[in-house]
Amino acid sequence: MPAPYPAVVSVERQVGANATVNYRGNRYSVPPGLVGSAVTLSHRLGDGELKIRSAAQVALATHRMAYPGANAVVRDPSHAAALEKAVLAAFSTRRPCDTKAHTGISEAALAEAAKLSGAKEVKVDLAAYARAVEQ
């Protein structure tokens, strides 16, 4: 049976942090690892399939389209499993890294402050500041 409309709608979208792309009020999954990359979504009018391709035109996914504006998340089971695996692999039981210690004011910052204030020398007295805060 011939399709009622031979036109193909094609748009470019960016992959979100949850490995999905927005299209007509719904979200459709792609394999994880593509976060932030551009993909091309296309569907033939009158057909209920959405095809997702990479920038290099590699087929990434084909989904049945949800009703426009339904706010549905259409996720392929293999994409869900791969995303879960990637998220769980990112967890660690190691101790968090130490915070950066304050290293003081650099010579470049002191020189810039001297230029801005017009003073020949800028002195930073943290003890005087601490006394002012305590009062």
Side-chain angles (χ1 to χ4, degrees):
M1 176 173 174
Y5 305 102
V8 175
V9 175
S10 183
V11 295
E12 189 173 291
R13 296 285 190 265
Q14 188 171 5
V15 178
N18 61 350
T20 61
V21 290
N22 284 327
Y23 186 66
R24 292 189 170 182
N26 298 301
R27 298 192 62 79
Y28 297 90
S29 71
V30 295
L34 298 170
V35 174
S37 62
V39 294
T40 302
L41 289 73
S42 62
H43 82 276
R44 185 177 181 152
L45 294 179
D47 186 13
E49 279 191 345
L50 178 68
K51 296 180 181 185
I52 304 173
R53 295 186 168 273
S54 70
Q57 296 304 308
V58 174
L60 299 173
T62 300
H63 295 288
R64 292 296 298 158
M65 290 177 58
Y67 187 79
N71 200 28
V73 177
V74 180
R75 195 178 291 276
D76 184 276
S78 66
H79 296 165
L83 182 61
E84 180 181 355
K85 184 178 179 181
V87 168
L88 292 176
F91 282 109
S92 173
T93 56
R94 290 181 295 170
R95 190 173 162 262
C97 62
D98 294 329
T99 57
K100 182 179 175 184
H102 180 67
T103 57
I105 301 169
S106 70
E107 292 299 319
L110 291 172
E112 190 63 30
K115 279 197 286 185
L116 291 172
S117 69
K120 300 243 185 230
E121 183 179 337
V122 176
K123 292 187 180 182
V124 179
D125 186 1
L126 294 179
Y129 176 75
R131 284 191 302 275
V133 169
E134 289 174 1
Q135 293 176 356

